[in-house]
Amino acid sequence: MMNLDILKEKLFFMPDATRGAVRYLTTKQLEETGTQALVTNTLHLLVHPGPDVIQQLGGIKKMMGWNGIVFTDSGGFQVFSLLHSKKWKGKVHENGATFKSPKEGNTYELTPESSIDIQMKIGSDVLVTLDDCRDTNLSRKEAEQSVERTLKWAVRCKDRFSKDYGGTKNTGKLLTAVVQGANFPDLRSYCARELVKIGFDGYNFGGYVVDGEGDLVVDEMSAVIESVPKDTIRYAMGVGKPEDIIRAAKMGYNLFDTVLVTRNARHGTVYTSEGILRIKNSDMGLDMRPVDSECDCECCQNYSRAYLHHMLKNGEATALTLLTIHNLTFYQKLIGGLS
Ligand SMILES: [Zn+2]
């Protein structure tokens, strides 16, 4: 069995392998960036190919040929944001959510128990409890309701994981919980302390980590980190920009993920030791330098900004692969430097 306790000690950055793949990268390329853990999206995998298919194929790690660590989310954040924004049809209720996938038209039910079942079938190493994630700008009352429901669901998830699967002892897997409480630091702290009483392997800062101006919600994040033990996973979900990761790490968070790394790469926006660079800009057209002279990734060791600019302008997928390799390598070095 894999030793997952390292997740409670060191700092990790996880790229998003939403559907069981980090877009444009092979698993070998992913390993070469120094990535040790990734996070997959339970909702997307639930809809396609479905947890039973994944289980039949030996789990997501076998499918990917990936020897590292796999996290799953609970599927809640995605479902609730799709339902709240009315992009998907369905409803949130006391037991979770019932919804219809617009593509296949199938109806699904996500409950605390089914969320654990799905994550088990996917074959992740670290599972997450289903939480009542709501919109931004909640009233105090709505935030309190969300916290109470999140706590109830956390108990049900833990029961499912311990009683039906035998917990960590039997599975070797870890279970983490999500802290809600919107932008009320005292509610955040209350939610975190109650979850600690129930007992989990880690505590994830849920909901929105940045405010309307894009700034980290530092007060709420501090309230949570001060309420959880240091020898657990302390996951700042969706953080974020390099400067935000540095800030959250100083506060005591040790696990991060963001779609920015891979998404920016696909748009030609890259992180370097001298700041952000936009490869699509016309001044890159004759620039013979590598993306980052201090980087030893496959992209920087072999190709010029000008060549990448040319490929991006012409829609060559190879450029997307190379820039994703670079951005991810940059993030893993950043994390390595903070450890
Ligand atoms: Zn590089």
Side-chain angles (χ1 to χ4, degrees), residues 41-48 50-51 73-93 95-112 114-115 118 130-131 153:
N41 187 297
T42 295
L43 175 66
H44 283 301
L45 293 174
L46 166 65
V47 174
H48 197 85
D73 59 14
S74 69
F77 181 81
Q78 202 92 27
V79 169
F80 297 143
S81 56
L82 287 165
L83 293 180
H84 289 309
S85 65
K86 306 211 177 346
K87 282 183 187 151
W88 281 27
K89 283 198 178 106
K91 62 173 186 188
V92 181
H93 46 71
N95 279 316
T98 310
F99 55 95
K100 212 172 194 177
S101 140
K103 227 179 183 178
E104 291 86 354
N106 297 335
T107 301
Y108 299 92
E109 179 137 63
L110 195 63
T111 65
S114 78
S115 170
I118 297 161
L130 185 69
D131 59 311
W153 289 356

Side-chain angles (χ1 to χ4, degrees), residues 291-292 295-297 299-300 326 329:
V291 167
D292 189 343
C295 180
D296 59 3
C297 82
C299 176
C300 296
H326 169 75
T329 304

Side-chain angles (χ1 to χ4, degrees), residues 266 279-280 285 305-320 323:
R266 297 198 294 270
I279 300 295
K280 275 188 182 166
R305 296 173 181 182
Y307 178 52
L308 293 158
H309 172 86
H310 156 72
M311 284 200 288
L312 272 185
K313 285 283 178 189
N314 289 283
E316 289 291 348
T318 303
L320 308 180
L323 295 176

Side-chain angles (χ1 to χ4, degrees), residues 112-224:
E113 290 78 17
S114 78
S115 170
I116 294 294
D117 293 344
I118 297 161
Q119 295 179 71
M120 287 299 296
K121 284 182 179 170
I122 289 173
S124 76
D125 298 304
V126 186
L127 291 76
V128 179
T129 58
L130 185 69
D131 59 311
D132 183 9
C133 187
R134 303 191 183 191
D135 248 333
T136 43
N137 300 322
L138 294 190
S139 69
R140 173 97 197 172
K141 200 175 167 215
E142 287 170 313
E144 282 170 359
Q145 286 168 346
S146 141
V147 166
E148 287 310 325
R149 207 181 252 175
T150 294
L151 293 172
K152 269 188 215 158
W153 289 356
V155 171
R156 287 171 59 178
C157 285
K158 187 171 177 184
D159 277 353
R160 183 64 140 210
F161 181 62
S162 335
K163 292 176 187 162
D164 293 73
Y165 296 100
T168 301
K169 212 172 164 194
N170 193 40
T171 61
K173 300 176 188 297
L174 302 181
L175 179 63
T176 63
V178 181
V179 182
Q180 287 295 347
N183 51 341
F184 301 96
D186 63 314
L187 279 185
R188 288 278 183 182
S189 166
Y190 166 76
C191 188
R193 282 183 280 115
E194 290 301 310
L195 289 169
V196 170
K197 281 184 202 162
I198 302 164
F200 292 95
D201 296 299
Y203 301 91
N204 313 329
F205 188 92
Y208 294 85
V209 283
V210 291
D211 61 20
E213 274 84 55
D215 294 323
L216 269 194
V217 290
V218 176
D219 293 345
E220 293 88 323
M221 291 182 76
S222 302
V224 170

